[in-house]
Amino acid sequence: MLSFNLTSSIHKSNPRAITSSWSAIKIYLKNHFHLSDYANINSELLIEEKLAKFTDAVSSAYNLASKPITNTRHSYTPHHIQQLITIKNRARKTFQRTLNPIHKTEANRLQSLLKKELGIYNQNTWAAKLATLETQENCLWQMQKHFRKKRSNIPNLTSPTGIANNDEQKANLIANTFIDNYTENKKPENYTTNIDSDVINTLRNFFSTPPRTPNPPTYLVEICDYVKTLKTNKAPGFDNITNKMIKNLPLKFILILTYDGRPPAPEIQF
């Protein structure tokens, strides 16, 4: 009997909350792909096909060797508050389904009661925490140190029009800045220049005249040296392949990027 699992092993809400086995990724890539599959590439369509195969292989290996990190810490909510939340949500859904004003009044009443109960619970929790403070364990001094510590205020925003102090002024200043930055630059009516024609002619001459010497081939050592300098804290592109995944690729996959159909050197081991 066949069984299918359509859920991805990647954490959807937080893609970084995962753990990956890089050794398993390398073993999977070594066993499922061969260098000869990327030989005799002589057309743009074939390049796109092989590149898509290359990207899917890396993504599949990463998904198979990764699992989400479960959060074992859960906040405690009293049972009576949980029941009140359930009743309030049921009343709100009933009003949305029937549009009866009576159900709306009931939902508002339960919402007010829920806020009151949450306030009482938070106050009792804070009072219980203060009651457990003792001088012998230094927890009392740590608490008062937290309250006595001076915190820096959010600085004012300065602009050519003046200084923004309150929230409304800061919001208007940020909005005006976005408007100025994303407004299309329009040329004045009496503005004349040859820069547009110069740019067009330069581009036409560049694309119409082929380079005199062909580009030198890229060697494996150059790519390996460049991969070592990649930063792992950078966001991936549209293919979702991160720099850390590239740095953990086996040598066979790095060689695919420079493979030209010739047999590899005997000193290169896979």
Side-chain angles (χ1 to χ4, degrees):
M1 182 177 180
L2 297 178
S3 60
F4 299 93
N5 184 13
L6 301 180
T7 59
S8 176
S9 59
I10 304 301
H11 200 280
K12 292 298 182 182
S13 59
N14 185 7
R16 295 187 177 183
I18 58 175
T19 175
S20 304
S21 176
W22 300 108
S23 59
I25 294 176
K26 292 181 179 180
I27 294 174
Y28 177 86
L29 294 176
K30 287 182 179 179
N31 295 336
H32 288 77
F33 283 87
H34 306 282
L35 190 62
S36 58
D37 297 338
Y38 293 85
N40 301 324
I41 300 178
N42 51 14
S43 64
E44 296 181 359
L45 183 61
L46 196 57
I47 290 177
E48 295 293 337
E49 179 183 350
K50 297 298 183 180
L51 183 60
K53 183 179 179 181
F54 181 90
T55 305
D56 293 340
V58 178
S59 300
S60 300
Y62 182 73
N63 292 336
L64 292 174
S66 303
K67 60 181 180 180
I69 300 176
T70 57
N71 185 13
T72 57
R73 299 179 59 184
H74 301 282
S75 58
Y76 172 74
T77 304
H79 182 65
H80 69 283
I81 293 182
Q82 291 181 355
Q83 289 183 340
L84 190 58
I85 293 174
T86 303
I87 298 173
K88 187 262 299 183
N89 292 337
R90 187 181 298 116
R92 185 185 60 182
K93 292 179 181 178
T94 303
F95 165 70
Q96 293 175 351
R97 185 174 63 254
T98 61
L99 299 180
N100 192 334
I102 298 177
H103 297 302
K104 182 179 181 180
T105 303
E106 180 66 14
N108 294 336
R109 185 188 67 83
L110 293 173
Q111 180 68 25
S112 301
L113 181 60
L114 177 61
K115 291 182 179 179
K116 181 180 178 181
E117 291 295 332
L118 287 175
I120 295 174
Y121 172 72
N122 293 332
Q123 185 66 27
N124 294 336
T125 303
W126 179 249
K129 183 177 182 179
L130 294 178
T132 57
L133 298 179
E134 297 180 359
T135 57
Q136 298 178 355
E137 298 179 357
N138 293 330
C139 55
L140 178 61
W141 312 117
Q142 293 177 0
M143 180 65 68
Q144 64 88 21
K145 182 180 179 181
H146 174 74
F147 285 109
R148 294 180 60 183
K149 184 178 180 181
K150 295 182 180 180
R151 294 173 176 81
S152 60
N153 298 326
I154 300 177
N156 299 328
L157 298 180
T158 306
S159 67
T161 58
I163 299 176
N165 298 322
N166 53 29
D167 295 339
E168 183 179 359
Q169 294 176 352
K170 293 179 181 179
N172 293 331
L173 177 59
I174 294 175
N176 294 331
T177 303
F178 277 117
I179 293 175
D180 295 338
N181 292 339
Y182 294 98
T183 301
E184 182 181 1
N185 296 326
K186 296 183 179 180
K187 298 180 181 179
E189 296 180 357
N190 299 328
Y191 183 79
T192 58
T193 181
N194 296 327
I195 186 172
D196 294 337
S197 59
D198 293 342
V199 171
I200 294 175
N201 294 331
T202 302
L203 292 176
R204 286 178 177 175
N205 294 333
F206 176 79
F207 289 114
S208 61
T209 305
R212 298 180 179 179
T213 57
N215 295 327
T218 304
Y219 296 99
L220 177 63
V221 178
E222 296 177 356
I223 293 185
C224 291
D225 293 339
Y226 181 76
V227 168
K228 292 179 181 179
T229 61
L230 294 177
K231 296 182 179 180
T232 57
N233 58 346
K234 297 297 182 180
F238 292 103
D239 53 5
N240 293 326
I241 297 180
T242 61
N243 289 345
K244 190 172 183 179
M245 296 165 60
I246 297 176
K247 298 183 75 170
N248 284 275
L249 289 177
L251 182 61
K252 181 189 297 185
F253 265 64
I254 301 298
L255 187 60
I256 288 175
L257 301 177
T258 59
Y259 187 55
D260 56 358
R262 296 176 298 179
E267 63 271 8
I268 298 179
Q269 301 294 331
F270 300 105

